[in-house]
């Protein structure tokens, strides 16, 4: 699975990092980044984290996370 984030839509609610802390983190201002990769906008998600990423994308109030099944 490949996930994509849209920081320009993020409202810094903190939910995605709570759901999938192994994948998502924040900048100092609370806007979403991928953990350990502040500049990345897309990332391949290992199978063990895919369920959490799907849930985070579904729950994100700003539609700032998407994924495909590749
Ligand atoms: S759940 Fe969405 S709005 Fe909230 S911090 Fe994550 S990307 Fe931003």
């Amino acid at each position: 699975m490949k996930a994509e984030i849209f920081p320009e839509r993020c409202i810094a609610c903190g939910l995605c990092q709570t759901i999938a802390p192994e994948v998502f983190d924040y900048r100092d201002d609370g806007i979403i980044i991928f953990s350990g990769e502040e500049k990345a906008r897309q990332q391949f998600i290992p199978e063990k984290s895919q369920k959490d990423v799907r849930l985070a994308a579904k729950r994100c109030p700003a539609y700032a996370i998407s994924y495909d099944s590749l």
Side-chain angles (χ1 to χ4, degrees):
M1 172 209 273
K2 187 175 72 178
E4 183 168 5
I5 57 173
F6 301 90
E8 67 278 10
R9 297 181 192 164
C10 176
I11 59 170
C13 76
L15 193 60
C16 58
Q17 200 272 343
T18 301
I19 295 171
E22 72 282 7
V23 176
F24 300 120
D25 201 350
Y26 307 121
R27 303 188 317 214
D28 289 346
D29 59 3
I31 299 298
I32 186 174
I33 57 172
F34 284 114
S35 297
E37 284 196 76
E38 185 163 354
K39 302 226 180 287
R41 293 293 173 263
Q42 298 183 342
Q43 194 173 77
F44 285 99
I45 306 300
E47 191 161 345
K48 65 180 175 60
S49 300
Q50 291 181 3
K51 185 176 171 194
D52 289 346
V53 169
R54 283 192 198 95
L55 183 61
K58 188 175 171 187
R59 296 266 178 90
C60 173
Y63 305 100
I65 304 168
S66 70
Y67 61 86
D68 62 35
S69 55
L70 293 176

